[in-house]
Amino acid sequence: MTLRIDISGLPSGRLRFAASPLAELTAMLHVLAEPGHHPRLAAWAADVWAGLRPEPAERLKEAEFLWRSSRADFLVPARPRPSLAEELDDVDRIDDETYVTAALVTTCGSNRVRFGAPSPLADATARERALDLAQARGALQEAFAERLLADPAAVRARVRHTLEQCAEAFFDAAWAGVAVRLATDLRLKHDLLKRQGIGAALASVSGAVTLAPDGDHIVVDKLQDNAIPAHGTGVTFLPSVFGHPHLVVIHAPGWQPVVQYPVAEPIPSEPVPLETVTLRLEALAHPVRLRLLRTLARGPHTTGELAHAWELTPPEVSRHLAVLRRAGLLTARRHGRYVRYTVNLPDLTALGADLLAAVLR
């Protein structure tokens, strides 16, 4: 199954590589909504949620359908701007019907909203169908769809304000570091495009993106069967640090094709010492600690909760948790009176690779 983008007759200048603040912000929002998809960013997501004020946190959950399972098309710009504010201004210029249709695709289900059908803003039957589809997805989706169809201007303003609150709360600080990595990747892509052509540039994007042998199609290996033209508009490629491992493709009718791809993971500057690897393996060798990790893998727990779950005494649990923490496999965060422990997924996930690297060094 593939997605094919027809670029026959397209000038080379219409294949664009650029950075988008809005696309990267909504990649971050996807991480916050689905941290399980991004184990290396789980600690970052937990810190962001812990630092958010109640109002923006509630607003993120209220509109998360725009970026959780799939991304609303207007959140992945085909013509990126230097700043988030400029890209949000571009979104504001989209007419209500286009905005609402794109928002309903992600709220009601990407395979259940028909493009070219009567607008739910003007047609009562289309409106009822959209609300029925949203209701089938859940009460929050239904409430969001009702507000969107009743007053699209108010919802659009609220979504923009939510994104601006995210910029102030965490995005602006993260973007300062992310932008450097994106710029480095873009220099590589532009150099490949200039010196070796489209095929080499696409190969550096992802192993799932290739140039067809005829040179007239970009082939994206995704669980989709579709073919779209890029004539007159071109194709935009957006690098992303927070998007890994997802390859996002905007290909709906009426929208310019856009591909947001994860930049290559940087090679760790310092290998994990063999002593640390050994410490972690020894920590995992005890059956009780494995049981505790099994519970902690489902979410944060306190010492008392773990003791109750496994019929152990709190002091005994504390001793085992201390060993796991010394090995760097757990993190602890205080919430009022309670200390909750969380699995350090990135280091636990990398343990096999770290062991192999240590053996082969």
Side-chain angles (χ1 to χ4, degrees), residues 304-349:
E305 289 170 335
L306 293 169
H308 177 76
W310 291 104
E311 298 182 349
L312 301 168
T313 65
E316 185 177 7
V317 171
S318 293
R319 287 194 296 272
H320 287 298
L321 293 179
V323 173
L324 292 168
R325 286 191 68 189
R326 282 196 299 272
L329 297 175
L330 292 185
T331 57
R333 288 186 174 85
R334 179 171 291 280
H335 297 267
R337 296 171 49 202
Y338 301 99
V339 175
R340 291 189 171 89
Y341 294 88
T342 306
V343 176
N344 185 346
L345 285 173
D347 287 340
L348 187 59
T349 302

Side-chain angles (χ1 to χ4, degrees), residues 13 17 23 27 30-31 63-64 101 118 126 137 164 172 183 189 203 221 236 253 256 275 307 344:
F17 286 88
H30 171 74
V31 173
E64 70 175 11
T101 299
R137 297 291 295 276
E164 290 170 337
D172 288 345
K189 299 298 187 290
D221 185 19
T236 300
Q256 179 178 326
E275 181 183 357
N344 185 346

